[in-house]
Amino acid sequence: MIDEDFYLATDRTQCLTPIALPDNDNLPLNYARIYYDNTLLNGLASATSDDLKSANMLTPSTYDKWRPTANPSDCTLIGTSQLCDYVAIAAHNLSGSTVVINVSNGGALTEVYNSVVPSNLPLLARFTEGTFDRVFIEITGTTTAEIAVVYMGKELVMMRPNYSGYSPATLSSKDVFTPQASDGGQFLGKQLVRKGFNTSASFSHLTYEWYEAEFQPFVLHAKKYPYFWAFNLLEHPNEVVYGWTNQNIKPSLMGIRNWLEVSFDIDAHGNL
């Protein structure tokens, strides 16, 4: 039974004592990650095949792509030198191809990915934080490769894990169909004209200081640009989407201490 003094307390900071949070760099992988920081945006690009269109990977658009025809093929993307711990690739068709990703700061190369790509969902390579300004991508096993988006930067780790009720993005389709029926109402077929995903994320018990310092830069980014979203890399390492938010992200005070809660919708890209 809750003591009635709990409800009468004028100093609500005494009503709940939170568990101390671990250091941000050591938060477990089941805490959601957002990959929005991108040093490659509007940088420089070159490639051994389809060199002219290699710059398409430096913009957030999923429509314009780099389409090399050589096997193997490779490209170099150069941005601004900064602390980085991830490379992410979206809107690609690399499933079944072998991809090698190296990063550098103008000197020795550091390999961060070398594997057969398992699917056409966004590819995420996480690595030990370091100062880098360029990405080298080599593709083997296909002459019809396509890549639209490449990000490199520093990941944002949410202060709290996801709560129950989250809909996994890759299982939450937001497709557009064109049904076809006869004049008599008979079903003739249905055409998929747009493919995508949709989910929403909710977080609570966020400190005001953390929100301002860590999350608000993402809020400002999301006004104009997409981002990569991973809700639980520990249990679902391939559950990564490239999405965007169509409304302003606004927090609200919970009435407990100085804590905030926030939620936002995510519309994500899907390959047809």
Side-chain angles (χ1 to χ4, degrees), residues 35 62 87-94 113 117-125 149 170 197 227-230 233 237-243 268-271:
Y35 300 89
T62 60
V87 171
I89 300 175
H92 66 81
N93 68 343
L94 301 176
Y113 186 89
V117 180
S119 74
N120 288 333
L121 289 172
L123 172 62
L124 175 64
V149 179
T170 57
F197 306 103
Y227 50 90
F228 292 83
W229 163 260
L233 291 175
N238 295 320
E239 169 71 24
V240 181
V241 293
Y242 178 69
H269 171 265
N271 287 323

Side-chain angles (χ1 to χ4, degrees), residues 200-201 211 215-216 218-225 227 244-252 261-267:
S200 60
Y211 191 102
F215 195 74
Q216 185 61 16
F218 160 69
V219 171
L220 297 177
H221 168 95
K223 291 176 181 288
K224 296 178 61 178
Y225 302 110
Y227 50 90
W244 50 90
T245 300
N246 294 318
Q247 295 180 332
N248 287 327
I249 301 174
K250 298 181 291 186
S252 58
E261 58 185 0
V262 68
S263 62
F264 54 97
D265 292 333
I266 305 170
D267 285 337

Side-chain angles (χ1 to χ4, degrees), residues 146-164:
E146 294 182 353
I147 299 177
V149 179
V150 180
Y151 278 26
M152 179 173 72
K154 186 168 171 53
E155 69 178 7
L156 167 63
V157 184
M158 292 303 297
M159 182 180 177
R160 305 286 187 182
N162 279 316
Y163 293 95
S164 62

Side-chain angles (χ1 to χ4, degrees), residues 102-247:
N102 285 275
V103 296
S104 170
N105 196 36
L109 300 182
T110 300
E111 186 178 282
V112 297
Y113 186 89
N114 187 339
S115 183
V116 175
V117 180
S119 74
N120 288 333
L121 289 172
L123 172 62
L124 175 64
R126 300 174 65 248
F127 48 88
T128 303
E129 180 183 291
T131 300
F132 303 106
D133 70 349
R134 62 197 67 193
V135 179
F136 304 88
I137 302 173
E138 181 178 326
I139 305 168
T140 305
T142 179
T143 57
T144 59
E146 294 182 353
I147 299 177
V149 179
V150 180
Y151 278 26
M152 179 173 72
K154 186 168 171 53
E155 69 178 7
L156 167 63
V157 184
M158 292 303 297
M159 182 180 177
R160 305 286 187 182
N162 279 316
Y163 293 95
S164 62
Y166 172 76
S167 297
T170 57
L171 302 180
S172 305
S173 298
K174 186 182 180 181
D175 302 332
V176 176
F177 301 93
T178 300
Q180 298 171 352
S182 69
D183 291 341
Q186 304 301 320
F187 176 78
L188 299 178
K190 187 169 65 173
Q191 183 179 7
L192 176 63
V193 296
R194 182 185 303 167
K195 183 175 173 60
F197 306 103
N198 175 263
T199 190
S200 60
S202 298
F203 298 93
S204 57
H205 301 96
L206 307 174
T207 65
Y208 207 104
E209 295 75 15
W210 180 89
Y211 191 102
E212 284 189 315
E214 302 292 337
F215 195 74
Q216 185 61 16
F218 160 69
V219 171
L220 297 177
H221 168 95
K223 291 176 181 288
K224 296 178 61 178
Y225 302 110
Y227 50 90
F228 292 83
W229 163 260
F231 89 99
N232 184 343
L233 291 175
L234 179 65
E235 298 178 357
H236 305 280
N238 295 320
E239 169 71 24
V240 181
V241 293
Y242 178 69
W244 50 90
T245 300
N246 294 318
Q247 295 180 332

Side-chain angles (χ1 to χ4, degrees), residues 38-47 50-59 66 74-81 104 133-137 150-152:
N38 181 22
T39 184
L40 301 176
L41 182 64
N42 298 322
L44 300 174
S46 63
D50 196 23
D51 179 65
L52 184 63
K53 293 183 179 179
S54 62
N56 289 337
M57 294 179 285
L58 302 172
T59 74
W66 173 54
D74 61 80
C75 67
T76 302
L77 308 176
I78 303 176
T80 303
S81 181
S104 170
D133 70 349
R134 62 197 67 193
V135 179
F136 304 88
I137 302 173
V150 180
Y151 278 26
M152 179 173 72

